[in-house]
Structure formats: structure tokens, C-alpha cells
Amino acid sequence: MAKFVLAGRADCPYYAKAELLADYLQKNLPDFRIHKITQHPDVWEEWLKELCKKNKWSHKNSPIIWRELLDRGGKGLLLGGYNEFLEHAQLYYGVTSSMTTELMKTVAQENLGAHIEKELEEEALKGLINPLQVWITSASAPACYNLIPILTSGEVFGPHVEISINLFDNKQAEEKLTSLVKEAQDLASPFLQSVSVCTQAEEAFRQAHVIIFLDDHVDKEVYSLEDCIRSRATLCHLYGSLIEKNAHDSVRIIVGGKTFVNLKTSLLMRYAPNFTHNIIAVALGVEGKAKAALARKLKTTPSCIKDVIIWGNISGNNYVDLRKAKVYRYESAVWGPPRYSRPVLSLVCDSEWVNGEFVESLKKFTATGRQFGGILAAHSIATTLKYWYRGSPPGEIVSLGVLSEGQFGIPEGIVFSMPVKFENGTWVVLTDLEDIEISEQIMTRMTSDLIQEKLVALGELINFQPYQSENLI
């Protein structure tokens, strides 16, 4: 097979004439192939000079034609310019060109226009594949250390998305963050374009596409629960104003951690009102703990348990709902195909355990945050982000903290964990689920603290009174 390369200045009439002849040969000869290259007039001479230097050729005009030696490897064999190509076509194929001078000029101008249009398209594409700017607050927290390898694996945002990670924290954490940058670079991930440190608040969230909020630091000592709540309001006010000022219009904001998760999400919505529907709270950590506890009881693996719903306050009074929970691939007398599942509550026959030890262990977990280490926090955040960008598993229920619009009888205006599914880059609250009504007593237990936290944070309530009730599942 004969493969020729035809290169020339985009506005060159002789390139146009050689192109027409080459197209004719390729169309009519099964073993003739042509590859065409055009260069803008402004860069043609420099490009040709570099090409000839690389291949040790001597050629000064447009076009230049050479033959690729497919069966030998190495550099190509220079044929020459238009005249040499015309002679070659006449000698070997008995074909010549009859293109008029006027037509040559017309086609040359069309080629130049097409070349410029192609360059513009390529520039536009480069703009589309700019790295995703990912910002992580309180980046000296242990969760960040575990989060970076997951974010740079290609599993979260997709195998064709490059990211730049920006680590944001206070000045005291700068040395630790610098070490973290070096470790992140050592990963040599093809998906990580850059990683940098930011300790100046006014620079935070510049063109951010994703912002991940980890547990924040409290600079001054707090002496009461109310002071602790109000300190979150001050910080979220600062962060909200920075988001409004610096973040990209399409920014997605995800709040994780083990303290006041719903409250921080609600405050960020208040202080960054243009992004209210782009802010969510991570509930998968609590969901994961519940699945692990159930798996230990059933002597199976946590990944086999699906559709556990976390309602309410992610880091406080919540309700772990097992009414829709299923277990797959469960070893018992009854077997089925991989899609076959059985209700969890029909297999956990120990109602005393469900209403006692199970509830208490999860209550202690959400109240203290113990065992909510860096691995679980990082995995929960990364999985939620993955679902947000790429969709959650079809048919699976996911727990997520979102702004209530009155669904399920939940008071409007508070951030509340509820069942959702992710699809098409957003989430949908699963209001069509059957038999998941929540009793008034459980709803009051879950909403009381959330409402009070918000009122205390905004200075509309002086004292916080935690809701007291009997344990409920």
C-alpha cells in the first residue's frame, strides 16, 4: 500500500491542486492512501523548517509531499513539491490534474477558511477539557489525606476528566499542606493536573467547580454548645460570601464531617443564596455504619445490603429506616439469581436487637462521631460525588441531606436527610416510595434540634434545649 502525506500552507493554490489530485487517486486506487496536513500561513515557514530539520530534508516551498514507508519503519521518503507529485502521478498511475488557476485560488481560500474554523473548534474543545477545579476546606483534616487518592483515581468524575486540587486551610497548617502536595504529586495520577495550597481567605474557591467542606477548625475556645453553634454561623457566613464572589457558576458544594452537618449546609445555603440547590450534605457515612452493623448480625458483607434510609439530622437525631432495606446474595435455604433479594427485617428476627443495641450504637456514633475516621469520611464524600456526577446505581435508594420543600411532611427550609436517587447530574427525592410514612413523634424528634440549631446560629434563640424522647426505630 502506498501512503502519502501532503502538507502545505492553508492558502496555497498549489496545495489545493495537489489535494484534488490526491483525492482522485485515493478514490480510484484501492492501495493509495493520503494524509493531509494544513498549517496557517503565519506558522508555515517555521513548521516546514522544523520538519525538514527533523528528517534531514531540503525543501522550501508549499506544498511538501512525502511517502510513508509502512513496511520499513523509520522516516518517510521525500517526494518533493507539487511538480514532483504531478510527475509521480503521471508516471505510476497515468493521471494528471486539469484544475484551472482560478479554481486553484478559490479552493485555496476555502482551505484557509476551513483551517481557521478547525483551529477555533480545537480551542473551544480545549476550553471544555480544562481541569475540574476541586477545592477542599480544612484540608489538614485526616479525611483529606484519604480523600485525595480516591479523587485522583478517575473513579469519581470519570476516566476522561482531569482535576486540579486546591487545599484550603489556615496559615498554621501550611507546612502540613505542603507535605500533602508532595505526596499527591508522588501518586503520578494521569487525572491530576495540579495540586496547590491556599491559606488566604480572599483567594478561596477561585473558579471552583467542586467544593468539599470537611470538619472545620474553631480558632477560639468555646465554652458552651450555643457558642459552638454560633461559631459555625460566622465561618459559614465567610465561606458563603467567598462562594458567591469567587466560585464558578456551576459549582457543586458538598458538606461532610461528623459535627453539625445539616446546620452547616443550611447556613451555606443562606449565605450563598445563588447556589442553594447546588449544596448537599453527605449521609452515606451513617448509612455505611448501619449496613455494617446489619451485615455483622446477618453474617454477610455490608455491600450486599441496600436501601437503608437515613432520615433527619445526619450528625444528630436521626431515624435509620429498615422498612425498604434488602439483602442480596444471602446464604440461606432460599437462593435466587444475583438480582434476588430478601427484606432485611424478615431475616433479622431479633426485634430486641433492632430496637435496642442497633439503635443505641448508631445513636452513639452520630452523637460522638467516634469511629468516623478519615477513611469512612473520605469514602462517603467521594461516593456521593461519584453519584452526583455519574448517577447512582439504578433502582437503589441513596440517603442525602437536601433542603426540605415539605416532602414527607418535613418542615420547609431545613436541611434534612431523605431518600433520593442521582441521575443526569442532579438528584431526585423519592417521594413515590410506598409505606414510608413517618410518625409525628419521630418527625418531632428529628426536626426539633435542627430548627433550634438554626435559630441559635442566627441569634434568634439564646438557649438550645436538646430534644428528649424514648429511643425509637
Side-chain angles (χ1 to χ4, degrees):
M1 178 181 288
K3 179 180 178 182
F4 288 86
V5 180
L6 168 63
R9 204 177 64 239
D11 64 346
C12 173
Y14 290 99
Y15 172 87
K17 194 168 185 176
E19 179 187 28
L20 182 67
L21 177 57
D23 288 343
Y24 176 85
L25 292 172
Q26 180 166 259
K27 182 178 179 181
N28 291 280
L29 299 173
D31 292 330
F32 184 95
R33 291 291 179 269
I34 186 73
H35 175 65
K36 293 179 280 188
I37 301 172
T38 57
Q39 294 293 335
H40 194 279
D42 294 344
V43 300
W44 163 253
E45 287 188 11
E46 188 63 29
W47 183 87
L48 179 62
K49 182 179 177 181
E50 287 297 318
L51 177 73
C52 291
K53 180 180 178 181
K54 177 183 176 182
N55 292 283
K56 297 184 171 66
W57 292 338
S58 178
H59 190 86
K60 297 183 178 179
N61 300 314
S62 173
I64 180 172
I65 300 115
W66 69 92
R67 182 173 178 178
E68 295 284 351
L69 302 177
L70 298 179
D71 57 342
R72 302 182 202 175
K75 67 178 184 178
L77 179 65
L78 178 64
L79 185 63
Y82 167 72
N83 289 329
E84 288 78 12
F85 183 55
L86 185 61
E87 290 174 5
H88 181 86
Q90 288 175 327
L91 179 62
Y92 284 90
Y93 309 117
V95 177
T96 189
S97 175
S98 58
M99 180 183 281
T100 64
T101 302
E102 286 302 315
L103 184 56
M104 286 168 59
K105 292 179 179 179
T106 300
V107 174
Q109 288 305 308
E110 290 175 355
N111 282 343
L112 178 60
H115 180 85
I116 292 172
E117 187 176 338
K118 183 181 177 182
E119 284 185 333
L120 292 173
E121 287 177 358
E122 288 175 351
E123 284 300 315
L125 284 173
K126 286 179 183 177
L128 291 174
I129 60 174
N130 277 342
L132 203 68
Q133 296 293 330
V134 179
W135 283 77
I136 305 175
T137 72
S138 304
S140 60
C144 183
Y145 188 86
N146 294 279
L147 184 59
I148 289 175
I150 309 176
L151 294 178
T152 57
S153 68
E155 290 294 320
V156 176
F157 303 109
H160 305 295
V161 179
E162 291 186 355
I163 66 172
S164 286
I165 295 178
N166 305 273
L167 305 175
F168 176 49
D169 212 320
N170 56 39
K171 191 70 176 175
Q172 290 73 24
E174 189 168 14
E175 185 177 346
K176 186 174 183 179
L177 297 186
T178 302
S179 297
L180 190 55
V181 166
K182 292 178 181 177
E183 285 203 63
Q185 291 169 337
D186 290 345
L187 293 172
S189 167
F191 306 104
L192 180 62
Q193 188 174 102
S194 65
V195 56
S196 60
V197 171
C198 177
T199 58
Q200 301 296 321
E202 61 272 14
E203 296 298 318
F205 315 138
R206 290 281 184 197
Q207 288 302 301
H209 297 106
V210 176
I211 303 175
I212 301 169
F213 283 91
L214 303 179
D215 276 319
D216 44 81
H217 309 294
V218 179
D219 293 331
K220 63 179 182 179
E221 188 174 356
V222 292
Y223 298 98
S224 67
L225 177 61
E226 288 81 5
D227 284 343
C228 190
I229 291 173
R230 282 189 282 268
S231 71
R232 266 61 181 184
T234 303
L235 201 58
C236 288
H237 194 177
L238 170 64
Y239 286 159
S241 63
L242 291 169
I243 291 168
E244 288 279 323
K245 178 183 175 184
N246 295 337
H248 193 275
D249 291 342
S250 63
V251 67
R252 302 184 189 195
I253 301 160
I254 185 165
V255 182
K258 58 188 178 183
T259 57
F260 299 106
V261 175
N262 295 55
L263 174 64
K264 290 185 290 187
T265 307
S266 180
L267 291 170
L268 286 171
M269 290 175 176
R270 179 182 181 88
Y271 296 122
N274 289 321
F275 302 100
T276 295
H277 296 288
N278 288 31
I279 307 176
I280 60 175
V282 178
L284 291 186
V286 184
E287 191 178 304
K289 293 293 290 185
K291 289 177 179 178
L294 291 167
R296 286 191 289 270
K297 184 69 174 176
L298 293 172
K299 294 181 172 56
T300 187
T301 56
S303 62
C304 292
I305 297 174
K306 309 290 184 185
D307 301 344
V308 173
I309 303 172
I310 308 300
W311 296 92
N313 191 345
I314 296 164
S315 51
N317 262 323
N318 52 49
Y319 169 34
V320 182
D321 190 347
L322 304 181
R323 289 175 293 179
K324 295 293 180 183
K326 305 179 187 69
V327 59
Y328 293 80
R329 302 190 298 277
Y330 187 65
E331 294 185 13
S332 66
V334 181
W335 280 82
R339 293 185 179 181
Y340 176 73
S341 65
R342 300 177 67 184
V344 165
L345 288 176
S346 72
L347 296 172
V348 181
C349 302
D350 189 351
S351 60
E352 228 176 88
W353 177 85
V354 171
N355 293 300
E357 185 182 332
F358 176 69
V359 171
E360 280 302 314
S361 65
L362 292 174
K363 183 178 179 182
K364 187 179 294 185
F365 166 70
T366 53
T368 64
R370 288 175 186 168
Q371 301 177 26
F372 193 66
I375 294 175
L376 179 57
H379 181 266
S380 304
I381 291 166
T383 303
T384 305
L385 268 176
K386 177 183 176 181
Y387 291 168
W388 199 353
Y389 273 85
R390 306 176 68 187
S392 52
E396 192 170 317
I397 299 172
V398 178
S399 302
L400 185 70
V402 298
L403 185 65
S404 169
E405 297 177 353
Q407 307 97 322
F408 309 109
I410 302 165
E412 293 184 33
I414 60 173
V415 171
F416 203 88
S417 180
M418 58 184 82
V420 306
K421 65 177 179 180
F422 286 89
E423 59 182 8
N424 302 321
T426 187
W427 68 89
V428 179
V429 177
L430 298 175
T431 54
D432 57 348
L433 292 176
E434 296 178 357
D435 302 321
I436 58 166
E437 291 79 12
I438 302 174
S439 72
E440 184 178 346
Q441 187 179 8
I442 293 176
M443 184 65 76
T444 301
R445 171 172 69 86
M446 290 189 291
T447 57
S448 175
D449 288 355
L450 289 174
I451 293 170
Q452 285 194 74
E453 283 176 0
K454 191 172 181 180
L455 291 174
V456 170
L458 298 176
E460 297 174 17
L461 184 68
I462 297 175
N463 296 314
F464 180 87
Q465 297 292 331
Y467 183 80
Q468 301 293 331
S469 72
E470 296 297 321
N471 294 332
L472 292 166
I473 181 78

